[in-house]
Amino acid sequence: MKLLKKFGLALLIATSMGTFSSTVLAEVDEGRIAYGPHEAIDLVIGKIKEAIVAIKSGSDGAAVAPMIKAALDASKEVNANDVVDRNRSKANDILKAAKAHAKASSLQEAEQELEKAQKAFEALHGQV
């Protein structure tokens, strides 16, 4: 009888572990969109391009700085591996410099920094 109880308990534990796996039940918060690495990189590149177009169309630094901030926020979604994260961090530093130039109304320097950041994020596609 003791053997039967131990076997039944072991079977119950094994069944409960298999049916209630936390990785199976894990999901993104409700209302939040999860992006794959390539999609997230493309999202950031799109936001950088929007900022470049705004600079070329004659927008002032106060209008361009929030666009660059949006690109910085979107870059947090890029998550693939350590190498990509390290290079994403370097590209973010370039975006931060562009944001500082935009706030100081040095739009020519901001545009150059944005173009560097765009190239840096495009290079991330090959590292994913």
Side-chain angles (χ1 to χ4, degrees):
M1 190 68 177
K2 282 187 172 183
L3 184 64
L4 187 58
K5 286 182 181 177
K6 288 181 181 178
F7 179 73
L9 183 61
L11 185 63
L12 178 67
I13 291 172
T15 304
S16 67
M17 287 178 65
T19 57
F20 296 110
S21 173
S22 61
T23 57
V24 171
L25 298 176
E27 62 181 48
V28 178
D29 295 335
E30 189 173 325
R32 183 175 183 280
I33 300 171
Y35 296 102
H38 289 290
E39 294 171 328
I41 293 169
D42 289 338
L43 178 69
V44 175
I45 292 171
K47 294 199 180 282
I48 292 171
K49 287 180 181 179
E50 287 177 14
I52 292 172
V53 167
I55 290 172
K56 289 183 179 179
S57 68
S59 295
D60 62 338
V64 175
M67 292 179 182
I68 299 172
K69 172 79 167 98
L72 279 166
D73 291 342
S75 73
K76 294 176 185 173
E77 295 292 329
V78 179
N79 187 9
N81 58 40
D82 291 340
V83 174
V84 171
D85 190 49
R86 193 169 36 249
N87 290 332
R88 179 195 61 84
S89 177
K90 290 177 184 176
N92 274 355
D93 291 341
I94 299 169
L95 280 176
K96 289 175 186 175
K99 183 179 167 190
H101 286 301
K103 283 185 175 181
S105 296
S106 302
L107 296 179
Q108 187 175 23
E109 289 86 359
E111 183 179 358
Q112 292 171 354
E113 295 289 335
L114 286 171
E115 289 171 356
K116 286 181 193 175
Q118 180 179 348
K119 290 177 185 175
F121 276 103
E122 287 171 350
L124 290 179
H125 274 299
Q127 298 172 1
V128 176

